Amino acid sequence: MKLLLFFLSLIVLVTPACKESANDGPIIEMRLEDEDNFFKQENVISQFEAIPLSTPENVILSNDNILKYNKDIMILIDRLHSGKVHIFNRDGSYRASISAKGRGPNEYLDMASCQLFNDCIVIYSYHKKGVLFYDYDANFITKKGLSFTPYNLYCIEDGYWGYIGFGNGQISERVVKLNQDGDIVTKILPTDANILPMTEVEDVFIPSDMGIIVRESFVNGLSLISNDIGSSFVKFNFGDYSIPSKYYNYSSPMKAAEELFKSDFATINQVLANNDILVVNIECHKQSELDDEFDVLLFLKNNNWTAIKVDKNNELLYRSVKGITPNNELILLLNEDTVENYSHLFKGMDIKNVKNNNVEYFIVLCKLDL
């Protein structure tokens, strides 16, 4: 579980005085313990298509990989294990891998963030204090140094947005805008909160037609950047899974984290967006019954929220969601065994025959009916 892998770097101690901009977003009552809040999966998702990923033997994929795509390519990013980026054509054929983790001039020590930008694959290395650019065949192009290095970075045409989080010890804001040289030009989303620095596995900055959405671990809400102004976009009341306010009052961040993991709580693990639908992926942790942990997928379309519950035994959707296409298709990454178990969903495809051609993982597209 990603949360446990990054336990020490995701310790939170938020004070009740956390401030946002004047324009607070609406509060959505999504009480996760109430089964009446959820739609059935089959009423939301349909029309499954499986795309086999042909990989050479030295390319190892995993369910933890992060996916990015555009009209030309798909990349699978292994931040948690190898630090490699595997590049595929849109038909699933293998193209190349970026394997440049190291201390050399064209290498990165860490992969704080990775994105597709202006026909390049862009890797931000916090420890190398720079942004490295590669082409779609994994060839190094250039590196740009930064004078200020946030924990997470998102490239834009005139510079970068950077995430430095709560209690960063430098400035009171959580998000900064940098110019091309990495100098701070704008600071937004102020707070009085006091926590330890956070390592975000999934994206912090998510582009949408409304602006750039900001997702932060252990913050049960989303912020929005529009015209260089940050504001609260939406806040959630997760009922019994909301982080209890008593944990915000501990003087020790470590003690707060220890107590939090003794209770049931929810955290927004992932946000996806296209020009039509916003997807919020929530991880729900149950300390008392670990086998009953579950995820919730929230969908926002035309100002209406739809939710489905994803139990641990749901091999199709549990921790497999990676993106959303412009055609309102949810993108899943599934291993061969899971696809074979659900072979009845993929009409006209001989799964067993495909498996015999060095295919261990599939990209699966499933249509959202919202």
Side-chain angles (χ1 to χ4, degrees), residues 66-70 73-77 114-116 203:
I66 298 169
L67 180 141
K68 307 284 184 182
Y69 73 98
N70 59 24
I73 65 164
M74 301 182 290
I75 61 173
L76 287 170
I77 306 158
C114 179
Q115 73 179 95
L116 297 174
D203 290 341

Side-chain angles (χ1 to χ4, degrees), residues 6 15 34 43 83 199 222 226 298 312:
F6 280 80
T15 68
D34 187 353
N43 294 335
T199 300
L222 304 172
S226 181
L298 289 179
K312 262 188 171 181

Side-chain angles (χ1 to χ4, degrees), residues 130-146:
V131 185
L132 295 89
F133 294 78
Y134 300 84
D135 66 20
Y136 292 166
D137 293 313
N139 299 308
F140 175 78
I141 301 173
T142 188
K143 175 188 174 184
K144 295 182 179 179
L146 301 175

